[in-house]
Every structure is written in C-alpha cells, then in structure tokens.
Amino acid sequence: MSIEDRLAVLEAQVVQIINERDREPDSVRALRARIDSNHNAVLGELGSLHADVQDLRTGQARLEAGQTKLRGDVQELRGGQARLEAGQQAVMDRLAEVLSKLP
C-alpha cells in the first residue's frame, strides 16, 4: 500500500471519528470531557509524585552519605580519645616517677 493510500485511509478514519463524535449526545460529550480532564489531572499528579520520589531518593542518598561521614567522625573521635587516654596515663606515670624521687 502506498503512502498516499495509507494517508487516504487515515483521513477517512479521522473523518469517521469526527462524524461519530458529532452525533454523540451532549451527556456523552460531557462525560468524555470529564474523563479527559480527570486523565490529565491524574497525569499531572503522577508527574508530581515522580518528582517527589526523585527528591526522596536524592535526600536518601544525602542522608546515607552523611551517616557514612558521621561514622568516620565517630571513629576518628574514638582514636583521639584513645590517644588522649594514653597520653594521660603517660603523664600520670611520669608524675608518679617524679614523686617517688622526692625526699
């Protein structure tokens, strides 16, 4: 089938659809308009929900990165505390040594 023939068939189908819609009662047209409106509203809400999901995924990734950094900071603090306690013990040992040499 040539392109011209296919276009002619499509044109005839479009004309038939338009003619069928023109013969529809007003109640059917109103119902179709409500359905179209509701469909568009649902598509809008889906788009909004998709954006919200993307925002939540981005927030979750940031939260996980923050938790990882926090775990690293806690480990660093524990290491610092251990070094501080070791230094404190060395000072106490040195002080005990000095005191033991006093008359």
Side-chain angles (χ1 to χ4, degrees):
M1 181 181 277
S2 71
I3 293 176
E4 291 82 13
D5 291 340
R6 284 191 245 172
L7 286 174
V9 168
L10 288 174
E11 184 178 349
Q13 289 174 342
V14 168
V15 168
Q16 181 181 357
I17 290 169
I18 290 171
N19 289 336
E20 287 174 4
R21 278 199 163 181
D22 287 344
R23 288 190 299 266
E24 288 179 341
D26 287 340
S27 61
V28 172
R29 285 187 202 167
L31 181 59
R32 187 181 307 278
R34 281 185 28 218
I35 289 170
D36 289 345
S37 175
N38 288 343
H39 180 258
N40 289 337
V42 167
L43 289 179
E45 286 297 318
L46 284 174
S48 179
L49 287 172
H50 178 71
D52 291 346
V53 167
Q54 289 302 105
D55 288 346
L56 287 171
R57 286 182 178 154
T58 300
Q60 181 180 6
R62 286 182 183 154
L63 177 61
E64 289 170 358
Q67 287 173 334
T68 300
K69 182 183 180 322
L70 183 58
R71 285 186 188 110
D73 291 347
V74 167
Q75 288 300 104
E76 189 177 321
L77 285 171
R78 286 182 179 153
Q81 181 181 4
R83 287 189 301 276
L84 179 63
E85 289 171 357
Q88 182 181 14
Q89 186 61 48
V91 168
M92 294 296 288
D93 292 345
R94 179 69 179 132
L95 179 61
E97 182 183 325
V98 168
L99 288 176
S100 69
K101 292 181 181 179
L102 289 178

